Structure formats: structure tokens, C-alpha cells
Amino acid sequence: MFQGFSKETGEFLWELSFHNERPWFLEHKEQFERCLNQPFKDLARETGQLLQQRFPEMDVEGHVSRIYRDARRLFGRGPYKDHLWFTLWDSSAGRDGPAFWFEIGAATCSWGLGYFDVTPAEMERFRRSIDANPARFARLAEEIDGMGRYRVFGAAYARPKGSYDEPVRSWYERKYVGAEHVCDLEGDMFSPALPHILADAFTELMPMYRFLREVHLSARKDGLTRAEKERSHG
């Protein structure tokens, strides 16, 4: 059962960033399991369970990142990550669709909704879905903007794709897109109530998640998603 992170959690990640090498990690592996790895897995599991309870029509699946970097992509940065994340999604959309996520680092935590692993054609479908009913999407974007807690993120195109005003423009002009909230590793992050805090956050983002899921399922049906493209070339 998740009991909250602690100051030791952040301290471990700070130390790992300065001693990112196998001997140091093995020496501190018990600390890693106790203050970071096991609590993080508990948090992911309990948050997913709460989301499933609130939305029984969904089949909630999840993924928890590992501390080990991909050996093919080390580039001199050391064999370990200095942050961990988990993602939750509806099985109908699959792992390559939009997802809720939470991430913890040495000094901050963040969470939100992301539509990351997308092709240009899939994002074009996203924009066409907005164009088909601008008022509907404006309500979704304005609701998130009005919360005052979330920042829209994603690599922006060099040239404008449309002529919408904010907050729709922030979503429309991205190569991938999401909304995130960032906070310091303190306060509620040390509380056993964190799974409920995250479930509340994902609940308020659910209307936008459903819109993105619709886009993804439509794009997948037409073979526009990354998974479908890889399958067709496999």
C-alpha cells in the first residue's frame, strides 16, 4: 500500500544523478527499492485501480518505467535514469494512444495527459477533428485552461497550421501534445493520499482524454498510427 514518498526519495535521485554508475547503485540498491521503486509501483497500481473504479467502462492498463536506461542509448549519461514515470490508458486505445502519466524526479513531480507516440498523419487527423467541431474542442481546451494548473506542451510547428485563438491554438499547433502540472517534491507528494490526488487530476482531464482517444481510434482504423504503419511494413 502506498504510504507516500519521503525526503529520502529525492535525496536518492539527487545522489544517483551525481553517481550514475553501477558500483554506487548496487551499494544503494536496498535504498532504491525501499524509498523509490516499491512506493512508485504501489502508487501506479493504486492510481490505476482508483481510475478503474471511477470509470468502469474502461479497461485500465499501465506501464511503469524501469530505472535502467536502454543500453543502446546511453551516450555517456550513465546506466540509470534520474527520474521514473508511469502511464495509464484504456486498452481500447492501446499503449501507443493517449495516456495519463505521472513522473517523479529529484526535486519535482509532474502529471497530466499526453498524446506522444504519434505520426504526422495522426496529428493531421487530430486537427481535422478540431476543424469538424471547433466549439466542442474549444470547450474542452477552455475547461483545462480555466483550471489554472496545467500547461499545454509539445514541439510546435515552425509555421502556423490554423488560425485559432487561445487556448485552442496551443493544442492545434503541435507535433505531439499534452497538458502537464508540475510541483515540488514536498507536501502532498509525501502523503498516502497521492493516488487519490492523481485520480482526481486524471478525472478532470478525462473529457480531453476521450476526445484524443476518439482521434486515435479513427486514425488507427485508417492505418495512420505508428503501430499500424509498422504492422503494414512488418
Side-chain angles (χ1 to χ4, degrees), residues 87-118:
T87 50
L88 300 171
W89 64 86
D90 183 5
S91 65
S92 67
R95 186 172 173 176
D96 63 329
F100 300 105
W101 56 272
F102 172 83
E103 181 173 292
I104 185 172
T108 63
C109 294
S110 57
W111 60 81
L113 169 64
Y115 196 22
F116 303 112
D117 193 21
V118 291

PDB file of all heavy atoms in Angstrom, residues 87-118:
ATOM      1  N   THR A  87       2.509   5.322 -16.880  1.00  0.00           N
ATOM      2  CA  THR A  87       1.422   5.752 -17.761  1.00  0.00           C
ATOM      3  C   THR A  87       0.227   4.823 -17.568  1.00  0.00           C
ATOM      4  O   THR A  87       0.379   3.641 -17.263  1.00  0.00           O
ATOM      5  CB  THR A  87       1.842   5.733 -19.242  1.00  0.00           C
ATOM      6  OG1 THR A  87       2.436   4.464 -19.560  1.00  0.00           O
ATOM      7  CG2 THR A  87       2.837   6.838 -19.540  1.00  0.00           C
ATOM      8  N   LEU A  88      -0.972   5.370 -17.756  1.00  0.00           N
ATOM      9  CA  LEU A  88      -2.227   4.626 -17.668  1.00  0.00           C
ATOM     10  C   LEU A  88      -3.070   4.957 -18.890  1.00  0.00           C
ATOM     11  O   LEU A  88      -3.120   6.123 -19.301  1.00  0.00           O
ATOM     12  CB  LEU A  88      -2.997   4.999 -16.400  1.00  0.00           C
ATOM     13  CG  LEU A  88      -2.308   4.740 -15.056  1.00  0.00           C
ATOM     14  CD1 LEU A  88      -3.115   5.372 -13.924  1.00  0.00           C
ATOM     15  CD2 LEU A  88      -2.127   3.245 -14.815  1.00  0.00           C
ATOM     16  N   TRP A  89      -3.735   3.944 -19.449  1.00  0.00           N
ATOM     17  CA  TRP A  89      -4.538   4.171 -20.644  1.00  0.00           C
ATOM     18  C   TRP A  89      -5.662   3.142 -20.707  1.00  0.00           C
ATOM     19  O   TRP A  89      -5.653   2.125 -19.990  1.00  0.00           O
ATOM     20  CB  TRP A  89      -3.668   4.091 -21.895  1.00  0.00           C
ATOM     21  CG  TRP A  89      -3.062   2.725 -22.113  1.00  0.00           C
ATOM     22  CD1 TRP A  89      -3.630   1.664 -22.757  1.00  0.00           C
ATOM     23  CD2 TRP A  89      -1.786   2.266 -21.640  1.00  0.00           C
ATOM     24  NE1 TRP A  89      -2.786   0.585 -22.740  1.00  0.00           N
ATOM     25  CE2 TRP A  89      -1.648   0.922 -22.061  1.00  0.00           C
ATOM     26  CE3 TRP A  89      -0.744   2.854 -20.930  1.00  0.00           C
ATOM     27  CZ2 TRP A  89      -0.509   0.160 -21.780  1.00  0.00           C
ATOM     28  CZ3 TRP A  89       0.386   2.107 -20.632  1.00  0.00           C
ATOM     29  CH2 TRP A  89       0.507   0.774 -21.058  1.00  0.00           C
ATOM     30  N   ASP A  90      -6.614   3.398 -21.573  1.00  0.00           N
ATOM     31  CA  ASP A  90      -7.702   2.461 -21.835  1.00  0.00           C
ATOM     32  C   ASP A  90      -7.212   1.456 -22.876  1.00  0.00           C
ATOM     33  O   ASP A  90      -6.677   1.842 -23.917  1.00  0.00           O
ATOM     34  CB  ASP A  90      -8.923   3.226 -22.347  1.00  0.00           C
ATOM     35  CG  ASP A  90     -10.127   2.319 -22.585  1.00  0.00           C
ATOM     36  OD1 ASP A  90     -10.036   1.117 -22.266  1.00  0.00           O
ATOM     37  OD2 ASP A  90     -11.145   2.810 -23.082  1.00  0.00           O
ATOM     38  N   SER A  91      -7.426   0.168 -22.602  1.00  0.00           N
ATOM     39  CA  SER A  91      -6.917  -0.870 -23.503  1.00  0.00           C
ATOM     40  C   SER A  91      -7.477  -0.743 -24.917  1.00  0.00           C
ATOM     41  O   SER A  91      -6.849  -1.196 -25.871  1.00  0.00           O
ATOM     42  CB  SER A  91      -7.237  -2.258 -22.949  1.00  0.00           C
ATOM     43  OG  SER A  91      -8.635  -2.482 -22.905  1.00  0.00           O
ATOM     44  N   SER A  92      -8.657  -0.117 -25.066  1.00  0.00           N
ATOM     45  CA  SER A  92      -9.234   0.037 -26.399  1.00  0.00           C
ATOM     46  C   SER A  92      -8.351   0.889 -27.308  1.00  0.00           C
ATOM     47  O   SER A  92      -8.342   0.710 -28.521  1.00  0.00           O
ATOM     48  CB  SER A  92     -10.631   0.663 -26.314  1.00  0.00           C
ATOM     49  OG  SER A  92     -10.562   2.005 -25.854  1.00  0.00           O
ATOM     50  N   ALA A  93      -7.610   1.820 -26.709  1.00  0.00           N
ATOM     51  CA  ALA A  93      -6.727   2.690 -27.495  1.00  0.00           C
ATOM     52  C   ALA A  93      -5.323   2.123 -27.621  1.00  0.00           C
ATOM     53  O   ALA A  93      -4.602   2.438 -28.564  1.00  0.00           O
ATOM     54  CB  ALA A  93      -6.666   4.080 -26.866  1.00  0.00           C
ATOM     55  N   GLY A  94      -4.915   1.296 -26.662  1.00  0.00           N
ATOM     56  CA  GLY A  94      -3.583   0.710 -26.728  1.00  0.00           C
ATOM     57  C   GLY A  94      -2.515   1.629 -26.177  1.00  0.00           C
ATOM     58  O   GLY A  94      -2.728   2.813 -25.915  1.00  0.00           O
ATOM     59  N   ARG A  95      -1.349   1.071 -26.029  1.00  0.00           N
ATOM     60  CA  ARG A  95      -0.232   1.784 -25.409  1.00  0.00           C
ATOM     61  C   ARG A  95       0.259   2.956 -26.254  1.00  0.00           C
ATOM     62  O   ARG A  95       0.851   3.905 -25.738  1.00  0.00           O
ATOM     63  CB  ARG A  95       0.917   0.802 -25.147  1.00  0.00           C
ATOM     64  CG  ARG A  95       2.083   1.376 -24.392  1.00  0.00           C
ATOM     65  CD  ARG A  95       3.060   0.287 -24.006  1.00  0.00           C
ATOM     66  NE  ARG A  95       4.274   0.828 -23.419  1.00  0.00           N
ATOM     67  CZ  ARG A  95       5.253   0.088 -22.929  1.00  0.00           C
ATOM     68  NH1 ARG A  95       5.161  -1.226 -22.956  1.00  0.00           N
ATOM     69  NH2 ARG A  95       6.335   0.652 -22.424  1.00  0.00           N
ATOM     70  N   ASP A  96       0.044   2.900 -27.577  1.00  0.00           N
ATOM     71  CA  ASP A  96       0.519   3.980 -28.438  1.00  0.00           C
ATOM     72  C   ASP A  96      -0.496   5.107 -28.570  1.00  0.00           C
ATOM     73  O   ASP A  96      -0.268   6.072 -29.302  1.00  0.00           O
ATOM     74  CB  ASP A  96       0.894   3.454 -29.825  1.00  0.00           C
ATOM     75  CG  ASP A  96      -0.298   2.853 -30.573  1.00  0.00           C
ATOM     76  OD1 ASP A  96      -1.206   2.317 -29.900  1.00  0.00           O
ATOM     77  OD2 ASP A  96      -0.314   2.910 -31.813  1.00  0.00           O
ATOM     78  N   GLY A  97      -1.615   5.003 -27.859  1.00  0.00           N
ATOM     79  CA  GLY A  97      -2.613   6.067 -27.874  1.00  0.00           C
ATOM     80  C   GLY A  97      -2.370   7.080 -26.779  1.00  0.00           C
ATOM     81  O   GLY A  97      -1.326   7.079 -26.123  1.00  0.00           O
ATOM     82  N   PRO A  98      -3.303   7.986 -26.533  1.00  0.00           N
ATOM     83  CA  PRO A  98      -3.152   8.971 -25.459  1.00  0.00           C
ATOM     84  C   PRO A  98      -3.104   8.263 -24.106  1.00  0.00           C
ATOM     85  O   PRO A  98      -3.654   7.171 -23.942  1.00  0.00           O
ATOM     86  CB  PRO A  98      -4.405   9.842 -25.598  1.00  0.00           C
ATOM     87  CG  PRO A  98      -5.408   8.958 -26.289  1.00  0.00           C
ATOM     88  CD  PRO A  98      -4.616   8.099 -27.214  1.00  0.00           C
ATOM     89  N   ALA A  99      -2.459   8.901 -23.134  1.00  0.00           N
ATOM     90  CA  ALA A  99      -2.297   8.267 -21.826  1.00  0.00           C
ATOM     91  C   ALA A  99      -2.196   9.319 -20.726  1.00  0.00           C
ATOM     92  O   ALA A  99      -1.715  10.435 -20.954  1.00  0.00           O
ATOM     93  CB  ALA A  99      -1.045   7.387 -21.816  1.00  0.00           C
ATOM     94  N   PHE A 100      -2.631   8.936 -19.541  1.00  0.00           N
ATOM     95  CA  PHE A 100      -2.365   9.710 -18.339  1.00  0.00           C
ATOM     96  C   PHE A 100      -0.980   9.304 -17.825  1.00  0.00           C
ATOM     97  O   PHE A 100      -0.555   8.161 -18.017  1.00  0.00           O
ATOM     98  CB  PHE A 100      -3.413   9.418 -17.265  1.00  0.00           C
ATOM     99  CG  PHE A 100      -4.813   9.739 -17.678  1.00  0.00           C
ATOM    100  CD1 PHE A 100      -5.709   8.729 -18.003  1.00  0.00           C
ATOM    101  CD2 PHE A 100      -5.242  11.053 -17.757  1.00  0.00           C
ATOM    102  CE1 PHE A 100      -7.012   9.022 -18.386  1.00  0.00           C
ATOM    103  CE2 PHE A 100      -6.546  11.360 -18.151  1.00  0.00           C
ATOM    104  CZ  PHE A 100      -7.428  10.345 -18.460  1.00  0.00           C
ATOM    105  N   TRP A 101      -0.277  10.224 -17.175  1.00  0.00           N
ATOM    106  CA  TRP A 101       1.069   9.897 -16.712  1.00  0.00           C
ATOM    107  C   TRP A 101       1.426  10.659 -15.440  1.00  0.00           C
ATOM    108  O   TRP A 101       0.836  11.695 -15.117  1.00  0.00           O
ATOM    109  CB  TRP A 101       2.101  10.219 -17.797  1.00  0.00           C
ATOM    110  CG  TRP A 101       2.055  11.648 -18.265  1.00  0.00           C
ATOM    111  CD1 TRP A 101       1.280  12.156 -19.257  1.00  0.00           C
ATOM    112  CD2 TRP A 101       2.792  12.759 -17.737  1.00  0.00           C
ATOM    113  NE1 TRP A 101       1.498  13.515 -19.387  1.00  0.00           N
ATOM    114  CE2 TRP A 101       2.417  13.911 -18.472  1.00  0.00           C
ATOM    115  CE3 TRP A 101       3.750  12.882 -16.731  1.00  0.00           C
ATOM    116  CZ2 TRP A 101       2.951  15.169 -18.215  1.00  0.00           C
ATOM    117  CZ3 TRP A 101       4.288  14.142 -16.471  1.00  0.00           C
ATOM    118  CH2 TRP A 101       3.893  15.264 -17.213  1.00  0.00           C
ATOM    119  N   PHE A 102       2.391  10.092 -14.731  1.00  0.00           N
ATOM    120  CA  PHE A 102       2.974  10.717 -13.546  1.00  0.00           C
ATOM    121  C   PHE A 102       4.471  10.493 -13.604  1.00  0.00           C
ATOM    122  O   PHE A 102       4.932   9.415 -13.980  1.00  0.00           O
ATOM    123  CB  PHE A 102       2.414  10.107 -12.265  1.00  0.00           C
ATOM    124  CG  PHE A 102       3.118  10.582 -11.014  1.00  0.00           C
ATOM    125  CD1 PHE A 102       2.760  11.784 -10.416  1.00  0.00           C
ATOM    126  CD2 PHE A 102       4.138   9.828 -10.439  1.00  0.00           C
ATOM    127  CE1 PHE A 102       3.414  12.230  -9.267  1.00  0.00           C
ATOM    128  CE2 PHE A 102       4.797  10.265  -9.294  1.00  0.00           C
ATOM    129  CZ  PHE A 102       4.433  11.469  -8.712  1.00  0.00           C
ATOM    130  N   GLU A 103       5.250  11.516 -13.217  1.00  0.00           N
ATOM    131  CA  GLU A 103       6.715  11.414 -13.231  1.00  0.00           C
ATOM    132  C   GLU A 103       7.290  12.015 -11.964  1.00  0.00           C
ATOM    133  O   GLU A 103       6.806  13.044 -11.476  1.00  0.00           O
ATOM    134  CB  GLU A 103       7.285  12.134 -14.457  1.00  0.00           C
ATOM    135  CG  GLU A 103       8.804  12.057 -14.565  1.00  0.00           C
ATOM    136  CD  GLU A 103       9.317  12.643 -15.875  1.00  0.00           C
ATOM    137  OE1 GLU A 103       9.048  12.020 -16.928  1.00  0.00           O
ATOM    138  OE2 GLU A 103       9.944  13.707 -15.850  1.00  0.00           O
ATOM    139  N   ILE A 104       8.313  11.376 -11.430  1.00  0.00           N
ATOM    140  CA  ILE A 104       8.994  11.884 -10.247  1.00  0.00           C
ATOM    141  C   ILE A 104      10.474  12.048 -10.545  1.00  0.00           C
ATOM    142  O   ILE A 104      11.100  11.202 -11.189  1.00  0.00           O
ATOM    143  CB  ILE A 104       8.794  10.938  -9.033  1.00  0.00           C
ATOM    144  CG1 ILE A 104       9.415  11.546  -7.774  1.00  0.00           C
ATOM    145  CG2 ILE A 104       9.352   9.543  -9.310  1.00  0.00           C
ATOM    146  CD1 ILE A 104       9.094  10.781  -6.502  1.00  0.00           C
ATOM    147  N   GLY A 105      11.027  13.197 -10.100  1.00  0.00           N
ATOM    148  CA  GLY A 105      12.455  13.460 -10.222  1.00  0.00           C
ATOM    149  C   GLY A 105      13.013  13.844  -8.867  1.00  0.00           C
ATOM    150  O   GLY A 105      12.343  13.732  -7.839  1.00  0.00           O
ATOM    151  N   ALA A 106      14.239  14.336  -8.850  1.00  0.00           N
ATOM    152  CA  ALA A 106      14.903  14.643  -7.589  1.00  0.00           C
ATOM    153  C   ALA A 106      14.254  15.800  -6.847  1.00  0.00           C
ATOM    154  O   ALA A 106      14.226  15.816  -5.614  1.00  0.00           O
ATOM    155  CB  ALA A 106      16.374  14.957  -7.855  1.00  0.00           C
ATOM    156  N   ALA A 107      13.726  16.778  -7.566  1.00  0.00           N
ATOM    157  CA  ALA A 107      13.173  17.969  -6.924  1.00  0.00           C
ATOM    158  C   ALA A 107      11.722  18.232  -7.263  1.00  0.00           C
ATOM    159  O   ALA A 107      11.050  18.974  -6.546  1.00  0.00           O
ATOM    160  CB  ALA A 107      14.004  19.196  -7.310  1.00  0.00           C
ATOM    161  N   THR A 108      11.215  17.640  -8.337  1.00  0.00           N
ATOM    162  CA  THR A 108       9.847  17.929  -8.775  1.00  0.00           C
ATOM    163  C   THR A 108       9.101  16.651  -9.147  1.00  0.00           C
ATOM    164  O   THR A 108       9.715  15.608  -9.417  1.00  0.00           O
ATOM    165  CB  THR A 108       9.829  18.869  -9.992  1.00  0.00           C
ATOM    166  OG1 THR A 108      10.485  18.218 -11.097  1.00  0.00           O
ATOM    167  CG2 THR A 108      10.512  20.190  -9.676  1.00  0.00           C
ATOM    168  N   CYS A 109       7.800  16.776  -9.186  1.00  0.00           N
ATOM    169  CA  CYS A 109       6.911  15.749  -9.732  1.00  0.00           C
ATOM    170  C   CYS A 109       6.028  16.422 -10.779  1.00  0.00           C
ATOM    171  O   CYS A 109       5.809  17.631 -10.737  1.00  0.00           O
ATOM    172  CB  CYS A 109       6.034  15.134  -8.648  1.00  0.00           C
ATOM    173  SG  CYS A 109       6.923  14.187  -7.395  1.00  0.00           S
ATOM    174  N   SER A 110       5.527  15.638 -11.692  1.00  0.00           N
ATOM    175  CA  SER A 110       4.608  16.188 -12.691  1.00  0.00           C
ATOM    176  C   SER A 110       3.629  15.104 -13.109  1.00  0.00           C
ATOM    177  O   SER A 110       3.904  13.909 -12.977  1.00  0.00           O
ATOM    178  CB  SER A 110       5.368  16.723 -13.912  1.00  0.00           C
ATOM    179  OG  SER A 110       6.175  15.714 -14.487  1.00  0.00           O
ATOM    180  N   TRP A 111       2.473  15.540 -13.589  1.00  0.00           N
ATOM    181  CA  TRP A 111       1.486  14.588 -14.091  1.00  0.00           C
ATOM    182  C   TRP A 111       0.600  15.285 -15.101  1.00  0.00           C
ATOM    183  O   TRP A 111       0.572  16.509 -15.199  1.00  0.00           O
ATOM    184  CB  TRP A 111       0.658  14.003 -12.953  1.00  0.00           C
ATOM    185  CG  TRP A 111      -0.139  14.984 -12.137  1.00  0.00           C
ATOM    186  CD1 TRP A 111      -1.348  15.540 -12.452  1.00  0.00           C
ATOM    187  CD2 TRP A 111       0.218  15.513 -10.860  1.00  0.00           C
ATOM    188  NE1 TRP A 111      -1.768  16.370 -11.444  1.00  0.00           N
ATOM    189  CE2 TRP A 111      -0.832  16.374 -10.448  1.00  0.00           C
ATOM    190  CE3 TRP A 111       1.312  15.331 -10.003  1.00  0.00           C
ATOM    191  CZ2 TRP A 111      -0.802  17.057  -9.237  1.00  0.00           C
ATOM    192  CZ3 TRP A 111       1.333  16.012  -8.801  1.00  0.00           C
ATOM    193  CH2 TRP A 111       0.280  16.863  -8.428  1.00  0.00           C
ATOM    194  N   GLY A 112      -0.125  14.476 -15.848  1.00  0.00           N
ATOM    195  CA  GLY A 112      -1.018  15.062 -16.829  1.00  0.00           C
ATOM    196  C   GLY A 112      -1.497  14.053 -17.848  1.00  0.00           C
ATOM    197  O   GLY A 112      -1.612  12.858 -17.571  1.00  0.00           O
ATOM    198  N   LEU A 113      -1.750  14.564 -19.038  1.00  0.00           N
ATOM    199  CA  LEU A 113      -2.294  13.800 -20.157  1.00  0.00           C
ATOM    200  C   LEU A 113      -1.402  14.038 -21.358  1.00  0.00           C
ATOM    201  O   LEU A 113      -1.033  15.182 -21.644  1.00  0.00           O
ATOM    202  CB  LEU A 113      -3.722  14.280 -20.440  1.00  0.00           C
ATOM    203  CG  LEU A 113      -4.398  13.800 -21.718  1.00  0.00           C
ATOM    204  CD1 LEU A 113      -4.591  12.288 -21.682  1.00  0.00           C
ATOM    205  CD2 LEU A 113      -5.749  14.498 -21.896  1.00  0.00           C
ATOM    206  N   GLY A 114      -1.021  12.971 -22.048  1.00  0.00           N
ATOM    207  CA  GLY A 114      -0.146  13.126 -23.199  1.00  0.00           C
ATOM    208  C   GLY A 114      -0.585  12.303 -24.393  1.00  0.00           C
ATOM    209  O   GLY A 114      -1.155  11.218 -24.245  1.00  0.00           O
ATOM    210  N   TYR A 115      -0.339  12.841 -25.559  1.00  0.00           N
ATOM    211  CA  TYR A 115      -0.587  12.168 -26.839  1.00  0.00           C
ATOM    212  C   TYR A 115       0.749  12.209 -27.563  1.00  0.00           C
ATOM    213  O   TYR A 115       1.018  13.094 -28.363  1.00  0.00           O
ATOM    214  CB  TYR A 115      -1.672  12.929 -27.592  1.00  0.00           C
ATOM    215  CG  TYR A 115      -2.329  12.200 -28.733  1.00  0.00           C
ATOM    216  CD1 TYR A 115      -2.327  10.816 -28.837  1.00  0.00           C
ATOM    217  CD2 TYR A 115      -2.996  12.915 -29.726  1.00  0.00           C
ATOM    218  CE1 TYR A 115      -2.951  10.165 -29.880  1.00  0.00           C
ATOM    219  CE2 TYR A 115      -3.638  12.287 -30.776  1.00  0.00           C
ATOM    220  CZ  TYR A 115      -3.609  10.906 -30.849  1.00  0.00           C
ATOM    221  OH  TYR A 115      -4.245  10.262 -31.894  1.00  0.00           O
ATOM    222  N   PHE A 116       1.626  11.232 -27.232  1.00  0.00           N
ATOM    223  CA  PHE A 116       3.041  11.337 -27.558  1.00  0.00           C
ATOM    224  C   PHE A 116       3.455  10.608 -28.839  1.00  0.00           C
ATOM    225  O   PHE A 116       4.055  11.195 -29.726  1.00  0.00           O
ATOM    226  CB  PHE A 116       3.883  10.768 -26.411  1.00  0.00           C
ATOM    227  CG  PHE A 116       3.643  11.416 -25.074  1.00  0.00           C
ATOM    228  CD1 PHE A 116       3.040  10.717 -24.044  1.00  0.00           C
ATOM    229  CD2 PHE A 116       4.022  12.727 -24.848  1.00  0.00           C
ATOM    230  CE1 PHE A 116       2.829  11.304 -22.810  1.00  0.00           C
ATOM    231  CE2 PHE A 116       3.815  13.329 -23.622  1.00  0.00           C
ATOM    232  CZ  PHE A 116       3.217  12.615 -22.598  1.00  0.00           C
ATOM    233  N   ASP A 117       3.164   9.327 -28.904  1.00  0.00           N
ATOM    234  CA  ASP A 117       3.740   8.465 -29.946  1.00  0.00           C
ATOM    235  C   ASP A 117       2.905   8.538 -31.216  1.00  0.00           C
ATOM    236  O   ASP A 117       2.276   7.562 -31.637  1.00  0.00           O
ATOM    237  CB  ASP A 117       3.817   7.031 -29.425  1.00  0.00           C
ATOM    238  CG  ASP A 117       4.670   6.147 -30.311  1.00  0.00           C
ATOM    239  OD1 ASP A 117       5.501   6.688 -31.068  1.00  0.00           O
ATOM    240  OD2 ASP A 117       4.510   4.911 -30.255  1.00  0.00           O
ATOM    241  N   VAL A 118       2.899   9.711 -31.831  1.00  0.00           N
ATOM    242  CA  VAL A 118       2.005   9.972 -32.955  1.00  0.00           C
ATOM    243  C   VAL A 118       2.777  10.188 -34.252  1.00  0.00           C
ATOM    244  O   VAL A 118       3.925  10.638 -34.246  1.00  0.00           O
ATOM    245  CB  VAL A 118       1.124  11.209 -32.680  1.00  0.00           C
ATOM    246  CG1 VAL A 118       0.131  10.912 -31.572  1.00  0.00           C
ATOM    247  CG2 VAL A 118       1.975  12.412 -32.305  1.00  0.00           C
TER     248      VAL A 118
END
